[in-house]
Amino acid sequence: MTTALASAESLALVPGAVVLDEVVGSRGPWSAVVRAGDVLTIVDLHGNQAVDTLIYSATDTGVRYDAAVTVTAQRGLFLTTGSVLRACDGSALVTIVGDEVGNHDTVGGACSQESNTLRYGHHTKHQHACVENFLIEGAKWGLGKRDLVSNINFFMNVPVDADGTLGIVDGLSAPGKRLALRAEVDALVLVSNCPQINNPCNGFDPTEVRMIVTREESR
């Protein structure tokens, strides 16, 4: 049985009652509120797919993921099991409680039509990008461009050289690899299933991912 057809119960990294199970189409946006204590498992169905992510407090979207605070608190650039994703006020939004890849990016940012043009040429101006996905999906929650901050890139491989140079290279993930996030507050999770086709972050072939939320049976 392929990962796409496997049961949500078998794919969830943290066991519990399945309260949400959705597939995010290639290049598409997605969002949901993950209740405090619930666990979101993100499944890289086909491998080598970057999942750009923003996280907000669902009760106050002014409290939102802050890359600088998160990196400073954990004394490291990359995310893996045990990493706490923190808000601008230092509070915990979500914690990575399971990770089959071991390295997720905090500094690569989100592609946009403008950055595509700058990096890859004016002929890419028409291409859909992560910033557009965030704006489309964020509008459902009353969010606009001023609410977009530096994002997380789950499954994306962005090594940093000694001189500070960033690279975007082939991902470390593989078909069926998973990541699990436990919500520490009611968290609004906003995702762009990255549509980038001009660098290796998606293997030049954007594919679907699966989002599964589980809740402890006793809750």
Side-chain angles (χ1 to χ4, degrees), residues 77-78 158-167 169:
L77 281 179
F78 305 109
V158 183
V160 181
D161 294 336
D163 64 0
T165 301
L166 303 181
V169 298

Side-chain angles (χ1 to χ4, degrees), residues 100-153:
E100 296 182 331
V101 176
N103 187 303
H104 304 271
D105 169 60
T106 62
V107 295
C111 60
S112 68
Q113 290 179 328
E114 293 80 6
S115 66
N116 281 345
T117 299
L118 179 64
R119 292 173 176 170
Y120 310 114
H122 190 72
H123 66 282
T124 66
K125 173 66 176 175
H126 72 284
Q127 293 175 359
H128 195 57
C130 284
V131 168
E132 285 68 45
N133 272 342
F134 282 143
L135 291 173
I136 290 167
E137 196 67 18
K140 298 177 182 179
W141 305 93
L143 301 174
K145 198 163 190 177
R146 66 188 300 172
D147 298 301
L148 302 188
V149 294
S150 296
N151 60 286
I152 309 144
N153 292 308

Side-chain angles (χ1 to χ4, degrees), residues 9-189:
E9 289 81 2
S10 69
L11 289 177
L13 272 178
V14 176
V18 175
V19 296
L20 182 147
D21 178 15
E22 295 179 351
V23 172
V24 186
S26 63
R27 308 171 186 253
W30 177 89
S31 63
V33 172
V34 182
R35 283 179 44 185
D38 289 357
V39 176
L40 168 63
T41 297
I42 305 175
V43 186
D44 187 0
L45 291 175
H46 303 282
N48 205 18
Q49 174 61 34
V51 181
D52 291 40
T53 306
L54 290 169
I55 301 171
Y56 305 80
S57 165
T59 57
D60 178 4
T61 55
V63 178
R64 55 194 62 170
Y65 169 74
D66 190 298
V69 170
T70 298
V71 166
T72 301
Q74 70 167 13
R75 299 176 180 270
L77 281 179
F78 305 109
L79 304 174
T80 188
T81 304
S83 294
V84 180
L85 280 58
R86 297 188 179 276
C88 42
D89 62 0
S91 61
L93 292 171
V94 304
T95 300
I96 299 179
V97 293
D99 180 14
E100 296 182 331
V101 176
N103 187 303
H104 304 271
D105 169 60
T106 62
V107 295
C111 60
S112 68
Q113 290 179 328
E114 293 80 6
S115 66
N116 281 345
T117 299
L118 179 64
R119 292 173 176 170
Y120 310 114
H122 190 72
H123 66 282
T124 66
K125 173 66 176 175
H126 72 284
Q127 293 175 359
H128 195 57
C130 284
V131 168
E132 285 68 45
N133 272 342
F134 282 143
L135 291 173
I136 290 167
E137 196 67 18
K140 298 177 182 179
W141 305 93
L143 301 174
K145 198 163 190 177
R146 66 188 300 172
D147 298 301
L148 302 188
V149 294
S150 296
N151 60 286
I152 309 144
N153 292 308
F154 289 123
F155 302 112
M156 187 169 163
N157 188 14
V158 183
V160 181
D161 294 336
D163 64 0
T165 301
L166 303 181
I168 299 176
V169 298
D170 287 339
L172 303 173
S173 187
K177 292 292 186 181
R178 300 167 294 175
L179 170 86
L181 309 170
R182 182 185 66 227
E184 307 299 347
V185 298
D186 289 351
L188 170 60
V189 181

